[in-house]
Amino acid sequence: MNVFAYLLMGFLVLCAIAVSLSRNLLNSILIYMSFSLIMSMIWVILESPDLAITEAAVGAGVTSILFFVTLKKIHAIDEREKRRKHEQKKE
Amino acid sequence: MAEWLCLIGGTLFLLTGIVIFAIELYGAYHYHYVLNRMHMAAFGDTFGIGVSLLGLMIINGVNFTSLKMLLVILFLWCASPVSSHLIARLEVATNEELETHMEVEQE
Amino acid sequence: MDALTEVRNVIFETALIILAVMLMLCLLRAVLGPRVADRIVAVNMMGTMVMVMIAILTVKMGEGYLVDICLIYAMVSFLAVIVITKVYMGAYRERKEKKREDGNG
């Protein structure tokens, strides 16, 4: 069982680093979603279902969806838009 | 003896479930356009999880947990096609250069 | 009878490890995907894989109440798909209006 737990914790660290490195906002939200996915898996391994349920419902559900709605509000959801602005700046 | 039989039968189903997930993952990397890739995701969503949860039910025997797993399978069989439809509609609506990927018959 | 439980644990352990590696490949597919729809599909696939992993853990540890997490993940991934499609459609329509105004403005 602990080999599986070590593997998941390794992926957890990988996800945490990947969130900060990704330039695109939508990518970081998706990696955040997978971070809370793996976190709730680890709660399941530690045999605490209530924490796993709240982590699953809050982490993957509410927070990520609120992030998506805020992304829409600040019009940053499409990366093509950013690339076009980037090119305009270069000219 | 029955214990071993249940275990072997369940692991067979579980193994096919995992092979189906492997096929789904290979399909996701093989196809380059999202609509082709999506049918692989639906393939895993309905068939893959159905077979593997069935295997787990066999291993688990007849008790309340198996009933809950059956509920999960039924919910997924209802919800997965709806989400695939939503994604496909999103893709068709927001993709300007749709013709480059496939021919679209003009109604 | 410990042979049975030992074989059982080995089977579940290998299944879980294979699924964990596939989960990571799914995440890689989500990050690489060029379009938003790719990312939603990949997140949906990841949700399904975590569901199977939690089901395996439930049978492995024998506690029945862990299956509720499976059910919650089914609903959460379904809800996430609905919200993302609605949000992205809205954002796309807004951008088209803005482009039309710039065009004839």
Side-chain angles (χ1 to χ4, degrees):
Chain A
M1 177 54 83
N2 43 29
V3 171
F4 180 56
Y6 296 152
L7 198 69
L8 277 186
M9 284 172 209
F11 287 152
L12 212 58
V13 172
L14 208 78
C15 276
I17 296 169
V19 167
S20 47
L21 290 185
S22 71
R23 285 177 305 279
N24 184 354
L25 280 180
L26 200 62
N27 269 356
S28 47
I29 294 180
L30 286 176
I31 301 174
Y32 168 77
M33 218 176 195
S34 69
F35 182 89
S36 88
L37 223 69
I38 298 173
M39 197 57 221
S40 111
M41 280 294 301
I42 291 179
W43 288 129
V44 169
I45 291 175
L46 299 178
E47 291 179 23
S48 64
D50 44 2
L51 279 171
I53 287 181
T54 36
E55 176 70 31
V58 167
V62 178
T63 325
S64 306
I65 287 163
L66 289 182
F67 276 155
F68 282 127
V69 175
T70 42
L71 256 188
K72 175 174 179 292
K73 287 283 179 298
I74 59 175
H75 306 299
I77 207 162
D78 197 356
E79 66 276 11
R80 274 198 304 272
E81 201 63 36
K82 219 173 290 157
R83 226 175 286 137
R84 212 167 293 130
K85 282 203 201 76
H86 193 58
E87 271 124 24
Q88 275 143 17
K89 248 179 274 153
K90 254 187 271 168
E91 280 128 24
Chain B
M1 194 46 208
E3 282 287 313
W4 280 93
L5 222 60
C6 281
L7 187 65
I8 302 297
T11 39
L12 276 182
F13 275 101
L14 198 57
L15 224 62
T16 41
I18 288 177
V19 163
I20 287 163
F21 276 123
I23 294 170
E24 174 200 359
L25 209 64
Y26 171 70
Y29 278 89
H30 175 63
Y31 292 113
H32 296 302
Y33 183 53
V34 72
L35 289 183
N36 312 346
R37 191 174 294 159
M38 211 174 54
H39 99 277
M40 287 316 292
F43 171 69
D45 261 2
T46 43
F47 185 38
I49 197 161
V51 167
S52 38
L53 282 190
L54 194 66
L56 287 174
M57 272 197 266
I58 291 174
I59 294 179
N60 204 357
V62 182
N63 56 14
F64 207 47
T65 322
S66 311
L67 198 65
K68 277 194 255 184
M69 283 192 200
L70 195 66
L71 180 66
V72 169
I73 296 181
L74 291 184
F75 176 80
L76 259 175
W77 280 355
C78 301
S80 170
V82 173
S83 64
S84 308
H85 167 70
L86 278 175
I87 299 174
R89 200 177 55 175
L90 168 94
E91 175 58 24
V92 167
T94 58
N95 191 349
E96 289 86 8
E97 64 283 346
L98 198 60
E99 282 68 27
T100 57
H101 298 289
M102 54 190 167
E103 77 284 344
V104 182
E105 90 281 341
Q106 316 301 336
E107 62 275 357
Chain C
M1 261 340 251
D2 65 334
L4 184 88
T5 48
E6 196 219 301
V7 165
R8 214 168 103 111
N9 283 346
V10 165
I11 290 169
F12 286 152
E13 188 79 24
T14 44
L16 283 171
I17 287 176
I18 297 169
L19 275 168
V21 171
M22 280 203 273
L23 189 72
M24 271 305 117
L25 288 173
C26 241
L27 177 64
L28 193 64
R29 182 70 257 171
V31 171
L32 290 179
R35 306 183 58 74
V36 179
D38 286 323
R39 297 202 174 103
I40 306 172
V41 162
V43 164
N44 209 343
M45 274 197 313
M46 275 166 61
T48 323
M49 283 190 189
V50 167
M51 261 190 265
V52 175
M53 285 160 90
I54 293 181
I56 292 177
L57 277 170
T58 324
V59 177
K60 185 172 163 56
M61 287 193 276
E63 281 100 357
Y65 43 79
L66 291 177
V67 193
D68 311 343
I69 306 168
C70 252
L71 201 57
I72 283 196
Y73 257 118
M75 296 178 204
V76 159
S77 65
F78 181 55
L79 180 72
V81 167
I82 293 179
V83 168
I84 297 175
T85 36
K86 210 161 276 307
V87 159
Y88 190 64
M89 291 280 260
Y92 179 74
R93 204 160 287 124
E94 258 166 44
R95 211 167 341 97
K96 268 177 92 72
E97 263 91 32
K98 196 153 59 66
K99 210 176 291 174
R100 199 171 297 121
E101 272 132 31
D102 299 349
N104 49 32

